[in-house]
Amino acid sequence: MSEHSPLDVPEGDPFGPHNLPYGVVSTPGGTAPRVGVRYGDFVLDTAAVAAALGSPHAALLAARTLAPLMAAGRPVWQAVRAEVTGWLTDPAHRAAVEPHLHEVDRVVPHMPFEVGDYVDFYSSEHHAANVGRIFRPGEEPLTPNWKHLPIGYHGRSGTIVPSGTPVVRPAGQRRRAADDPGPVFGPSVRLDIEAEVGFVVGVPSRMGTPVPRTAFRDHVFGVCLVNDWSARDVQPWEQRPLGPHQAKSFATSIGTWITPLDALEAARVAPPERTHPLLPYLDDTGPDASADGYDLRLEVRINGETVSRPPFASMYWTAAQQLAHMTVNGASVRTGDLYASGTVSGPEPDQVGSLLELTKGEGPWLEDGDTVLIDGWAPGPNGVRIALGAVGGQVKPAGWTPPRD
């Protein structure tokens, strides 16, 4: 046994054997992208270990994206998770596994899956009420439908980017003042963030066949953190009557580590009390009620300074209800579809997930060169923490183009 083996993860490490999030990485030496699992400060090359130990799941783990594993279904997800846990914790596998653990800072992360469709929801009552007061002063902050269905809109999957990708300040139409008769065009001067949680679909559904709320865990592979960057001066000018478009479509960042749902069992909680009767396909208060909420704790840092700690447990609509609503009209989901929670905000001033709320719409907003990092964790078994893969990005000025390789 080596004196400082990467397999000897300290007890309680948030990336310990109770977590094991999946990503896609290239390992030192220029290997092709393949599935990796985060373990402590290291990444396990699962393809290499699966080949060495003759795993029946070797082909899934040697793929260039998570899609084949995601599509394989929950029984396979559980079998692979149990297998990887054994590789990392059973002393009998130590000699075969140790050479295939690489320092996390030495691997190159890639987009973990190809995004199919993208839907962004609006499921925090606190956020929706805050935004309603800012954008529609004098009106009821929540629209009449808000307590009856999880409101969402179709986003742009082509501009979903992995954590670390620079974000260019968008340009668009905006008003200088609310009483201006028409718009001006130029770079957004009210660039904002939205701290969200994303849900990654693994098993597809048939067109014309709704996914019931109770089947959520059979279809959703895992979660990632999301920053849905937003241009707040473009948004109010364009969003009536159809909702956001260019204010949101220029960039959405996601974390490159996908936490499997089975790692979050201890974080399951009941959602907030329902204040309005729900239609049967959304009703989570009856005989089949379950703890569909998740106690995830987010932290937003701008230029290294913590500005907010949004609590996901306060989200009014759950991911299970969102999936049920998204498909109740017969729409299908595909492997790699991503749907996001909407901005996560709690009831306290230091728990909001956007600068719009933090500053009551007055700014300051993001400046060129600012870096944003959204991190998070969830309670795990026996009091340990489950770390969620952080999502970060830096604002680049309008017109900036990345240097050529």
Side-chain angles (χ1 to χ4, degrees), residues 15 65 104 120-121 141 181 197 213 218 224 232 234 264 292 310 383 386:
F15 283 109
T65 79
V104 69
D120 190 28
F121 282 97
V197 175
R213 181 185 59 80
D218 295 323
C224 61
R232 298 302 187 190
V234 176
L264 298 174
D292 288 341
I386 303 287

Side-chain angles (χ1 to χ4, degrees), residues 46-73:
T46 58
V49 176
L53 296 179
S55 167
H57 305 111
L60 296 178
L61 298 174
R64 287 174 170 262
T65 79
L66 291 176
L69 175 61
M70 288 160 45

Side-chain angles (χ1 to χ4, degrees), residues 215-250:
F216 162 74
R217 296 166 61 75
D218 295 323
H219 288 268
V220 172
F221 176 74
V223 307
C224 61
L225 294 182
V226 174
N227 184 356
D228 196 29
W229 307 81
S230 300
R232 298 302 187 190
D233 42 357
V234 176
Q235 184 176 354
W237 173 243
E238 73 171 0
Q239 77 174 13
R240 289 190 177 187
L242 292 182
H245 182 205
Q246 291 190 316
K248 307 275 189 174
S249 63
F250 59 95

Side-chain angles (χ1 to χ4, degrees), residues 64-342:
R64 287 174 170 262
T65 79
L66 291 176
L69 175 61
M70 288 160 45
R74 193 167 184 227
V76 174
W77 304 340
Q78 293 177 320
V80 171
R81 179 171 171 80
E83 191 173 30
V84 173
T85 302
W87 294 344
L88 292 167
T89 59
D90 187 341
H93 297 311
R94 185 173 285 253
V97 172
E98 256 189 351
H100 301 296
L101 282 161
H102 304 279
E103 293 178 10
V104 69
D105 293 336
R106 297 192 63 209
V107 303
V108 178
H110 300 279
M111 191 72 176
F113 59 95
E114 183 178 356
V115 180
D117 287 313
Y118 170 50
V119 174
D120 190 28
F121 282 97
Y122 191 53
S123 294
S124 164
E125 181 177 0
H126 303 292
H127 173 70
N130 290 339
V131 171
R133 295 185 189 102
I134 294 169
F135 280 174
R136 300 185 302 276
E139 300 180 24
E140 286 293 323
L142 295 181
T143 54
N145 59 351
W146 201 93
K147 287 292 185 78
H148 295 278
L149 58 86
I151 294 173
Y153 71 93
H154 285 278
R156 182 178 176 85
S157 61
T159 47
I160 294 177
V161 296
S163 177
T165 303
V167 173
V168 178
R169 182 177 297 275
Q173 291 191 25
R174 54 185 171 83
R175 278 179 165 173
R176 286 197 183 95
D179 57 355
D180 279 355
V184 296
F185 180 87
S188 171
V189 297
R190 296 187 175 189
L191 185 59
D192 198 358
I193 62 166
E194 288 190 339
E196 306 192 19
V197 175
F199 295 86
V200 183
V201 174
V203 175
S205 66
R206 290 178 178 271
M207 186 174 178
T209 303
V211 176
R213 181 185 59 80
T214 52
F216 162 74
R217 296 166 61 75
D218 295 323
H219 288 268
V220 172
F221 176 74
V223 307
C224 61
L225 294 182
V226 174
N227 184 356
D228 196 29
W229 307 81
S230 300
R232 298 302 187 190
D233 42 357
V234 176
Q235 184 176 354
W237 173 243
E238 73 171 0
Q239 77 174 13
R240 289 190 177 187
L242 292 182
H245 182 205
Q246 291 190 316
K248 307 275 189 174
S249 63
F250 59 95
T252 300
S253 300
I254 69 169
T256 54
W257 293 110
I258 310 301
T259 305
L261 288 185
D262 281 335
L264 298 174
E265 275 297 293
R268 295 179 67 185
V269 294
E273 181 181 357
R274 304 312 183 190
T275 57
H276 291 60
L278 298 178
L279 292 173
Y281 77 97
L282 293 172
D283 189 4
D284 56 1
T285 63
D288 63 348
S290 59
D292 288 341
Y294 284 95
D295 182 11
L296 312 180
R297 324 285 180 88
L298 277 55
E299 182 175 358
V300 180
R301 296 196 288 273
I302 299 179
N303 299 328
E305 178 184 353
T306 297
V307 299
S308 182
R309 291 186 171 89
F312 190 77
S314 65
M315 300 295 278
Y316 190 84
W317 295 105
T318 68
Q321 290 170 318
Q322 290 166 348
L323 182 62
H325 183 67
M326 195 161 56
T327 61
V328 74
N329 66 343
S332 59
V333 291
R334 298 177 292 174
T335 300
D337 281 1
L338 173 72
Y339 65 99
S341 61

